Amino acid sequence: MKIPVVLIGQDNLSLVSLRQQIEKEGNFLVSDKIRSFEDAFESIRTKTGPGIAIFDLSREPAKALALAQDIKSKLPHIRLVVTSGSKDPEVILEAMRSGAEEFLSQPFHWPTVLQALERIRAKINLQSAKNPQRGDIITVFSNKGGVGTTTVATNLAVALASNHQKSVCIVDLVLQFGSVTSFLNLDAYYTIIDLIKNLKRIDHMLLEGSLVQHSSGVRVLSEPFHAEDANTIKPNDVEQILTALEQSFDYVIVDAPKEFDDMVSVALDKSHEILFVSEMDIPSLKSSRRALEFFDRLGGYDSKIRLILNRYIKSKIMTVDAVEKALGIKVFWTLPNDYPTVIAAVNQGVSILESDPKSEIAKRYLELADRLTQGPLLQAATTNQEEEKKSGLLGQWLPSLGRRKEA
């Protein structure tokens, strides 16, 4: 794999010469343009995977170091190298403090430069070898409150951990008033805020100390202790945390709020599956229809969405087939309506598998976990609204959606 290299600074003969030398090396792919301090961040932000940014401190060292620190804190997958004609120890020290891993003196001595780049390439390859596979991120989402997303998230997580011996972490992304810890009767000593304060040094040990553990083995990243602290969390913080978690767990379950904001957008974009939860009543289905239309307009989500019908009751009036025709998407899973069992588990602060393992709803969660662990899932099937006509109650209340985009 060729490692991308971006040169940052004022266009000068030294950087042009450096770019020409790097172009000759088969292990690196250098950008064809030297980026200014003003446009460097946006250019690097669009790149995926590890890369190297080389900063020239020759003319505006303060601006260069400030940008280097910003990139290091917000784009941790980018490795920093700084270069300068000055050999002042204070300049080198400031460069290292900014997060740089190598310092290159000017004029360049190419063998020394190549050795530095190869050292960084070796670190990148070693890190990739340590994390050859990433876990699956599953976001449980609904645009309507009260349909049971937290119940689904917590019980699915326990089913994955208990029956499949998978490492599982739940992220409570309901940042102001989350309830995952309450559903599992856990007391969190650290929250997502603590991880954000230590984004530069997130590793397995830090995660071990920051996540509270349930008796099933499920780990939980709690929402902030104080609701007002939610306003300090940025989408990039969530993205970095999810990236770190998917490298450490087989499954990362995100309990998402119903508002489609920047935080939720990050989780949905990074998710391998989106469990979209609805119920079989007219208000829920009308709300679901609007959400699915919105996903269609955004594009790129059809292959991820799995429709979950919670509190399902078999009925001749409102059937699964009618729901599928009304929403234009196949039902992926149904969870039976068993209020006494569910509320008993919630009030005890335990999972359904613990409170009533022989119940039908516990069995359905185990089967859902089985389904999700069978490997890559087929794209969510859609129905053809032009060929299949809705009927009965749903036909009266849900006007035709037209043809949904093929996944």
Side-chain angles (χ1 to χ4, degrees), residues 35-318:
R35 299 290 176 179
S36 67
F37 296 131
E38 288 72 25
D39 68 0
F41 185 88
E42 283 304 310
S43 174
I44 295 174
R45 186 179 65 83
T46 60
K47 299 183 181 301
T48 59
I52 301 173
I54 301 179
F55 289 81
D56 186 7
L57 308 183
S58 300
R59 298 188 182 178
E60 296 183 85
K63 182 181 287 188
L65 291 173
L67 177 60
Q69 289 177 332
D70 194 34
I71 288 176
K72 187 67 177 178
S73 65
K74 296 179 180 177
L75 305 173
H77 59 289
I78 300 298
R79 307 277 180 148
L80 304 186
V81 175
V82 296
T83 176
S84 174
S86 172
K87 296 181 176 60
D88 184 347
E90 190 62 31
V91 173
I92 298 176
L93 180 60
E94 285 298 315
M96 296 301 108
R97 285 173 176 168
S98 72
E101 299 182 32
E102 300 283 349
F103 181 89
L104 306 176
S105 297
Q106 298 179 24
F108 295 114
H109 179 245
W110 178 244
T112 302
V113 172
L114 183 56
Q115 288 174 6
L117 295 179
E118 286 292 346
R119 281 194 293 270
I120 293 179
R121 190 175 74 88
K123 292 178 183 178
I124 291 173
N125 289 339
L126 179 61
Q127 184 65 32
S128 298
K130 289 180 178 178
N131 299 295
Q133 294 182 336
R134 292 187 173 189
D136 283 352
I137 298 178
I138 301 174
T139 294
V140 183
F141 174 76
S142 177
N143 63 320
K144 184 177 184 298
V147 298
T149 54
T150 303
T151 299
V152 173
T154 52
N155 285 284
L156 172 61
V158 172
L160 286 167
S162 300
N163 239 41
H164 293 274
Q165 301 300 304
K166 299 293 184 181
S167 59
V168 184
C169 177
I170 305 178
V171 178
D172 196 336
L173 208 58
V174 186
L175 297 175
Q176 287 191 314
F177 304 107
S179 55
V180 170
T181 52
S182 296
F183 271 53
L184 296 177
N185 194 27
L186 297 172
D187 292 320
Y189 296 99
Y190 300 97
T191 76
I192 190 172
I193 293 292
D194 297 288
L195 275 190
I196 290 171
K197 291 177 180 177
N198 293 280
L199 280 176
K200 293 182 181 180
R201 64 181 193 91
I202 286 184
D203 56 22
H204 184 72
M205 293 300 293
L206 180 62
L207 290 175
E208 282 290 314
S210 303
L211 306 174
V212 61
Q213 184 169 356
H214 183 253
S215 58
S216 64
V218 171
R219 308 300 291 268
V220 176
L221 179 58
S222 171
E223 82 285 4
F225 291 135
H226 306 293
E228 60 270 23
D229 288 343
N231 297 325
T232 67
I233 301 174
K234 308 301 180 187
N236 190 67
D237 298 332
V238 174
E239 182 172 12
Q240 290 186 54
I241 287 172
L242 290 178
T243 298
L245 290 173
E246 71 174 330
Q247 292 173 346
S248 299
F249 291 89
D250 295 322
Y251 289 93
V252 179
I253 310 295
V254 180
D255 184 22
K258 63 184 177 66
E259 295 80 11
F260 194 101
D261 57 14
D262 289 342
M263 303 292 182
V264 172
S265 179
V266 167
L268 295 177
D269 286 345
K270 288 187 69 65
S271 293
H272 300 84
E273 284 91 35
I274 299 168
L275 302 188
F276 185 88
V277 183
S278 184
E279 294 184 21
M280 292 183 67
D281 59 76
I282 294 300
S284 294
L285 294 174
K286 291 180 74 173
S287 181
S288 296
R289 186 198 67 173
R290 295 183 63 190
L292 292 171
E293 286 179 325
F294 183 51
F295 280 125
D296 274 351
R297 292 195 296 272
L298 292 176
Y301 289 103
D302 280 356
S303 63
K304 298 181 179 184
I305 295 176
R306 323 286 176 220
L307 179 61
I308 307 290
L309 291 183
N310 194 26
R311 301 165 187 154
Y312 167 69
I313 300 176
K314 191 172 183 179
S315 168
K316 294 182 179 180
I317 298 175
M318 193 174 293

Side-chain angles (χ1 to χ4, degrees), residues 329-364:
I329 186 172
K330 290 291 184 181
V331 172
F332 180 76
W333 207 255
T334 61
L335 294 166
N337 184 28
D338 188 351
Y339 180 81
T341 299
V342 173
I343 197 62
V346 171
N347 287 338
Q348 295 175 68
V350 298
S351 70
I352 295 171
L353 291 174
E354 295 171 287
S355 66
D356 194 349
K358 295 182 179 181
S359 63
E360 179 63 23
I361 191 169
K363 177 184 176 182
R364 289 295 288 169

